[in-house]
Amino acid sequence: MSQSVQIKNALISVYYKDNLEPIILELNRLGVEIYSTGGTETFIRNLGVNVVPVEDLTSYPSILGGRVKTLHPKVFGGILARRSFDGDEQQLAQYEIPEIDLVIVDLYPFEETVKSGAAQEDVIEKIDIGGISLIRAAAKNFKDVVIVASKNDYGTLEEILKTQGGATTLDQRRSFAQKAFNISSHYDSAIFQYFNQEEPLPVFKQSIQSSQVLRYGENPHQGGVFYGDLDAMFTKLHGKELSYNNLVDVDAAVALIDEFTEPTVAILKHTNACGIASRSSIKEAWIDALACDPVSAFGGVIIANDEIDADTATEISNIFYEVLIAPAYTDEAVRILQSKKNRIILVRQPVALPTKQFKTLLNGVIEQDKDAVIEGPAQMTPVTNRKPTEHELHDLFFANKVVKHTKSNTIVFAKNGQLMASGVGQTSRVDSLKQAVIKAESFGFDLHGAVMASDAFFPFPDCAELAAEAGITAILQPGGSINDKLSVEMCNEKNISMVTTGVRHFKH
């Protein structure tokens, strides 16, 4: 649809004036009458372009410290008047209101002010009233009015002005209106979130402005989009774009590695750790993490919490992996890692992560707090005759961190700061334990002296019995089963220790 409208009058009032000059000069060349306020008016005048103060149009000064400047019928009437309605046109003539065909306006930096830690009174002053009203009015009347609500669209407007002589099509105006409503709704959501922190209303609102279209979703027949700013969190040094499944695994990898402070490397496959070890150096951590399950490590996501050096990079390059993440790399390490064509190399940046999790479910959305709790030795209550040694407590803490980030039902075996095996995502906890035993044996691990962690309690003593038979000497579980006593008695019979934490870590 064309329905061309010629821009004759424009209202311009912006907070950010970056790249505004070419627009002003082009409007001036086209003979467009420009109305403006405050700092924008001064900016335009300093360019040598004639500008009409809004006060001259409304016959009212800017009042209340600038809170009220454009909120007037002579401004909003000129924006909202329907050019095809005779009655609207007659009233414009009656009250001497000019048609305003172009509105360029942005909003006070509310989100930036909140992030800066400013006092509440400063935040409140950044709640835009006139600007948001102008945006909504112009966007509502897109059939007759062009609304530019972001400096990001100045280039598009400038091109239209230059190539179309100040005329716009209906499709162009509709596109500008779509972007404007996106800006206004995001702005309102940010304000609501600010006010909804104490005694929050039970509503779900999310607005994320940046996005990245993915090659596809979980499978090639599914579309996929990531909403967020990946560039703020990662610097990509090499490789193809991250896929949907890559991102899901990367998210799990980041959550897991953040539990550890000593040099640690984790290898994940389908969001579960198939290898993880903490050592005195990243190279040693990598070697022992890979030893956990070198078969599953193929095509996995690798994450480290310390710099990758050349020696470590050489070792890592011996296997195929999808993604490698670390906080830093030496120059030589980067050169070595970039020799493999499609492998994705990411530098993780220190970005604050959300504290809430949500996903679509049935005909709505389910939300929860992130599982930010992890129980160390101080929260482990011995319930058996034999108490865990200091070394076992350290390994139980390690195993508990892994359990927290592994699909339920899960059992984790660990020894000397290394994952030995895990049973993941089974419908029976006994099956998870048996799976872990088989995996440990298949890779030549001796479970004698190892510890075991479970994400939930044992309903029967069979897990304790099987663990003892495999060589496990200490067990961690939340406790809380009516049959806890039976598991404790089994541990006492087998002379192994058990601790309870009182905290369950289901991960579905």
Side-chain angles (χ1 to χ4, degrees), residues 210 212 226 228-236 241 347 349 351:
S210 54
Q212 178 178 326
F226 173 79
D229 188 359
L230 282 176
D231 291 339
M233 184 157 185
F234 300 110
T235 299
K236 190 174 76 171
E241 294 301 317
V347 181
Q349 307 297 338
V351 174

Side-chain angles (χ1 to χ4, degrees), residues 282-283 286-287 290 302 307-321 324 329-340 343 345:
I282 283 294
K283 180 181 177 181
W286 161 252
I287 291 170
L290 179 62
I302 304 166
E307 183 180 70
I308 302 292
D309 58 21
D311 286 347
T312 308
T314 300
E315 292 287 341
I316 292 174
S317 292
N318 288 328
I319 74 160
F320 169 73
Y321 57 88
L324 173 62
Y329 303 81
T330 65
D331 292 342
E332 181 64 13
V334 172
R335 188 190 65 77
I336 293 167
L337 295 167
Q338 287 180 334
S339 65
K340 305 295 184 179
R343 295 173 192 179
I345 313 299

Side-chain angles (χ1 to χ4, degrees), residues 213-482:
V213 177
L214 305 173
R215 295 196 300 275
Y216 49 81
E218 204 162 7
N219 298 290
H221 61 275
Q222 297 170 266
V225 181
F226 173 79
Y227 294 98
D229 188 359
L230 282 176
D231 291 339
M233 184 157 185
F234 300 110
T235 299
K236 190 174 76 171
L237 302 180
H238 185 67
K240 57 188 177 181
E241 294 301 317
L242 288 161
S243 70
Y244 181 99
N245 291 331
N246 288 157
L247 287 170
V248 173
D249 283 332
V250 167
D251 176 70
V254 166
L256 173 59
I257 205 69
D258 282 352
E259 301 285 359
F260 298 87
T261 54
E262 60 271 47
T264 302
V265 173
I267 309 167
L268 285 88
K269 202 73 172 289
H270 306 300
T271 74
N272 295 307
C274 58
I276 181 167
S278 296
R279 293 292 182 261
S280 59
S281 73
I282 283 294
K283 180 181 177 181
E284 292 173 333
W286 161 252
I287 291 170
D288 288 345
L290 179 62
C292 299
D293 185 348
V295 174
S296 296
F298 182 87
V301 168
I302 304 166
I303 189 164
N305 63 357
D306 207 345
E307 183 180 70
I308 302 292
D309 58 21
D311 286 347
T312 308
T314 300
E315 292 287 341
I316 292 174
S317 292
N318 288 328
I319 74 160
F320 169 73
Y321 57 88
E322 286 278 348
V323 185
L324 173 62
I325 310 163
Y329 303 81
T330 65
D331 292 342
E332 181 64 13
V334 172
R335 188 190 65 77
I336 293 167
L337 295 167
Q338 287 180 334
S339 65
K340 305 295 184 179
K341 183 178 179 182
N342 289 323
R343 295 173 192 179
I344 302 168
I345 313 299
L346 302 177
V347 181
R348 183 182 172 187
Q349 307 297 338
V351 174
L353 298 175
T355 58
K356 298 280 188 179
Q357 295 175 310
F358 61 87
K359 64 179 178 179
T360 57
L361 193 72
L362 300 175
N363 63 342
V365 173
I366 192 169
E367 181 184 69
Q368 68 172 353
D369 298 327
K370 275 191 175 179
D371 186 355
V373 174
I374 187 65
E375 312 77 54
Q379 292 78 42
M380 298 176 189
T381 303
V383 292
T384 50
N385 296 333
R386 181 183 176 278
K387 311 304 179 195
T389 65
E390 288 297 317
H391 186 77
E392 287 171 335
L393 285 171
H394 186 270
D395 278 342
L396 287 170
F397 189 26
F398 177 94
N400 198 30
K401 293 175 183 179
V402 180
V403 154
K404 174 183 168 181
H405 296 277
T406 307
K407 288 285 187 182
S408 301
N409 287 318
T410 181
I411 292 291
V412 165
F413 295 149
K415 186 178 182 181
N416 299 326
Q418 179 187 25
L419 174 66
M420 308 200 80
S422 60
V424 304
Q426 300 301 307
T427 53
S428 160
R429 197 160 301 279
V430 172
D431 287 345
S432 292
L433 196 156
K434 290 178 179 178
Q435 180 190 60
V437 170
I438 292 171
K439 289 197 71 173
E441 290 175 347
S442 68
F443 292 111
F445 285 111
D446 181 3
L447 291 177
H448 288 85
V451 304
M452 180 178 92
S454 171
D455 61 327
F457 63 62
F458 301 125
F460 303 103
D462 45 6
C463 283
E465 183 176 17
L466 289 170
E469 291 173 357
I472 299 299
T473 57
I475 298 173
L476 176 146
Q477 58 131 332
S481 167
I482 58 173

Side-chain angles (χ1 to χ4, degrees), residues 53-310:
V54 166
E55 290 92 332
D56 291 357
L57 173 63
T58 64
S59 299
Y60 271 89
S62 173
I63 62 174
L64 306 181
R67 280 190 164 195
V68 179
K69 297 190 288 283
T70 57
L71 295 169
H72 192 279
K74 283 205 170 183
V75 174
F76 282 86
I79 295 171
L80 286 166
R82 294 157 292 187
R83 281 40 164 184
S84 59
F85 279 46
D86 290 341
D88 286 8
E89 289 294 296
Q90 290 170 8
Q91 287 191 320
L92 290 183
Q94 178 183 354
Y95 296 109
E96 299 181 335
I97 301 173
E99 293 177 346
I100 296 176
D101 316 295
L102 168 65
V103 176
I104 303 177
V105 62
D106 57 14
L107 300 169
Y108 293 149
F110 178 83
E111 288 182 279
E112 293 86 343
T113 305
V114 172
K115 289 177 182 177
S116 73
Q120 186 179 75
E121 55 267 27
D122 296 324
V123 172
I124 298 302
E125 286 307 308
K126 289 300 185 289
I127 298 177
D128 208 312
I129 304 301
I132 200 79
S133 302
L134 290 168
I135 288 172
R136 290 177 64 84
K140 176 178 179 176
N141 203 26
F142 70 90
K143 287 186 177 181
D144 298 307
V145 179
V146 178
I147 172 63
V148 176
S150 168
K151 61 183 181 182
N152 296 330
D153 293 323
Y154 286 177
T156 302
L157 176 62
E158 183 184 355
E159 182 65 19
I160 290 173
L161 294 175
K162 286 180 176 179
T163 59
Q164 297 174 201
T168 60
T169 67
L170 179 60
D171 284 344
Q172 288 169 340
R173 295 191 297 278
R174 185 191 296 273
S175 177
F176 279 123
Q178 177 190 39
K179 295 176 181 178
F181 280 126
N182 174 47
I183 288 170
S184 66
S185 63
H186 177 80
Y187 195 75
D188 284 339
S189 293
I191 294 170
F192 171 75
Q193 298 291 7
Y194 176 77
F195 281 94
N196 203 45
Q197 297 177 69
E198 297 180 14
E199 300 182 11
L201 296 174
V203 296
F204 181 82
K205 290 184 188 292
Q206 287 288 330
S207 178
I208 301 174
Q209 292 289 72
S210 54
S211 65
Q212 178 178 326
V213 177
L214 305 173
R215 295 196 300 275
Y216 49 81
E218 204 162 7
N219 298 290
H221 61 275
Q222 297 170 266
V225 181
F226 173 79
Y227 294 98
D229 188 359
L230 282 176
D231 291 339
M233 184 157 185
F234 300 110
T235 299
K236 190 174 76 171
L237 302 180
H238 185 67
K240 57 188 177 181
E241 294 301 317
L242 288 161
S243 70
Y244 181 99
N245 291 331
N246 288 157
L247 287 170
V248 173
D249 283 332
V250 167
D251 176 70
V254 166
L256 173 59
I257 205 69
D258 282 352
E259 301 285 359
F260 298 87
T261 54
E262 60 271 47
T264 302
V265 173
I267 309 167
L268 285 88
K269 202 73 172 289
H270 306 300
T271 74
N272 295 307
C274 58
I276 181 167
S278 296
R279 293 292 182 261
S280 59
S281 73
I282 283 294
K283 180 181 177 181
E284 292 173 333
W286 161 252
I287 291 170
D288 288 345
L290 179 62
C292 299
D293 185 348
V295 174
S296 296
F298 182 87
V301 168
I302 304 166
I303 189 164
N305 63 357
D306 207 345
E307 183 180 70
I308 302 292
D309 58 21

